[in-house]
Amino acid sequence: MKGRKSESGNDWQLEWTGPTTADIKCQSWNGFIDFLHHDRALKQKQSYIFRGHASVEWALVPTLKRSLDMDKPPWEDTEKEEERTLNAFKKYCLGRRGHNPPQLEESEWWALGQHFGLNTPLLDWSESPFVAAFFAFNSSGLDSGNVVIWILNKGVNKKPCIEKLKEERHIEFLTPYLDENSRLINQRGLFIKTPEMICLTEWIKQISEEGAIDLARVLIPSSEQEFALDSLDKMNINELTLFPDLLGAAKYANYVANRKKKKP
């Protein structure tokens, strides 16, 4: 952004794209590591969360919004659609959650549904940039461009221009306490919910004061996939640890077998 000083390091450069938004362009996986450890890149007093995308084309829009008619205005019938979807899920869960299941709050119902593939108004994030990186790179269909790790400031609602808005216009940060979702725990996961399921990149445009990063994209070449996944595996970030069930065991077994095939 014109007038703002950019930052750079080993194999990465930060370019401002708005008052508190930025793109961090990494030339390599090691560039991403260097960026995370740079003392001025992400202010330590800020609390950031992360989300991985396999493509720069993917928007920060929840699955329920994507399933609706995108020609409608974003505020039209979103509450009714949320209520209809959640009520249907609760109905069809009867008798399927085991004997004497615990009562759940609304956010916990949404989290449970997201875990099992329900279209929800939530976007899942992680407190770990490396977990987000795993989900960005762990795809069999990466294109020749970049993967994206999104960065969001959890304190964004405290910005003066956001604080003065009604609370329902704020971003909701949800961390459900749910024993039925061990994946959420292992992935250090949490969720956000935007007003009327609006795309986060549109919501953030309300912030006009310059300041520390509130929302950023970290771009890493998808050609770094094999190196990145191997590096993450050495950190014990893999399908075996992030999916602590039989599915995770099977997927990790496939990963190990395929890795051995590639060795000379």
Side-chain angles (χ1 to χ4, degrees):
M1 188 176 179
K2 192 174 181 180
R4 293 207 69 176
K5 184 180 178 181
S6 61
E7 298 280 355
S8 62
N10 294 325
D11 264 1
W12 64 269
Q13 182 167 357
L14 184 152
E15 298 176 358
W16 291 98
T17 57
T20 62
T21 60
D23 280 349
I24 298 94
K25 298 178 180 178
C26 300
Q27 300 302 313
S28 65
W29 171 252
N30 284 334
F32 174 59
I33 303 292
D34 187 80
F35 165 72
L36 290 177
H37 291 91
H38 194 271
D39 59 355
R40 294 191 303 277
L42 296 175
K43 304 299 182 184
Q44 292 301 311
K45 65 180 180 180
Q46 303 287 344
S47 179
Y48 289 102
I49 57 175
F50 307 86
R51 176 179 169 86
H53 281 186
S55 170
V56 295
E57 302 299 325
W58 296 0
L60 290 169
V61 175
T63 53
L64 184 57
K65 179 66 178 293
R66 280 182 254 153
S67 72
L68 302 177
D69 183 355
M70 299 305 290
D71 292 331
K72 292 182 180 180
W75 59 85
E76 187 174 319
D77 292 333
T78 54
E79 287 189 11
K80 290 181 181 178
E81 192 63 34
E82 287 180 29
E83 184 179 1
R84 186 181 304 118
T85 302
L86 192 58
N87 285 342
F89 181 60
K90 290 178 180 179
K91 174 183 177 181
Y92 299 129
C93 279
L94 290 174
R96 299 173 188 269
R97 294 180 56 221
H99 179 68
N100 195 26
Q103 296 294 311
L104 302 180
E105 301 290 337
E106 181 175 309
S107 62
E108 294 170 331
W109 273 112
W110 280 125
L112 183 65
Q114 179 116 336
H115 172 61
F116 286 104
L118 181 71
N119 289 334
T120 80
L122 308 180
L123 278 176
D124 48 317
W125 294 69
S126 173
E127 294 173 338
S128 166
F130 297 112
V131 169
F134 175 84
F135 285 107
F137 278 108
N138 191 43
S139 172
S140 58
L142 291 183
D143 58 28
S144 58
N146 295 308
V147 302
V148 182
I149 291 97
W150 285 95
I151 302 172
L152 175 63
N153 175 16
K154 283 184 71 176
V156 69
N157 289 326
K158 296 180 181 178
K159 297 282 179 167
C161 61
I162 303 298
E163 265 192 324
K164 68 183 182 182
L165 300 175
K166 293 181 179 179
E167 192 170 337
E168 57 264 29
R169 306 305 303 167
H170 293 187
I171 293 176
E172 289 184 64
F173 292 86
L174 308 169
T175 307
Y177 296 100
L178 192 61
D179 287 332
E180 291 167 273
N181 194 345
S182 57
R183 293 181 183 180
L184 186 67
I185 298 169
N186 284 31
Q187 295 166 15
R188 294 178 62 189
L190 70 162
F191 302 97
I192 72 163
K193 187 173 183 288
T194 58
E196 293 124 11
M197 297 188 281
I198 188 174
C199 181
L200 184 56
T201 53
E202 291 300 314
W203 183 92
I204 209 77
K205 291 177 181 178
Q206 300 174 95
I207 299 175
S208 56
E209 311 99 328
E210 289 188 359
I213 290 174
D214 285 324
L215 182 67
R217 297 188 308 171
V218 180
L219 306 171
I220 310 171
S222 57
S223 57
E224 293 285 276
Q225 180 185 38
E226 185 175 343
F227 183 44
L229 290 177
D230 185 58
S231 176
L232 290 165
D233 188 38
K234 289 181 172 69
M235 300 178 198
N236 205 28
I237 296 174
N238 50 48
E239 285 167 319
L240 188 64
T241 56
L242 299 181
F243 299 91
D245 48 35
L246 291 175
L247 179 62
K251 287 188 173 184
Y252 187 67
N254 288 338
Y255 169 73
V256 171
N258 290 332
R259 184 173 58 186
K260 287 181 177 179
K261 287 178 186 177
K262 294 178 182 178
K263 288 185 178 180

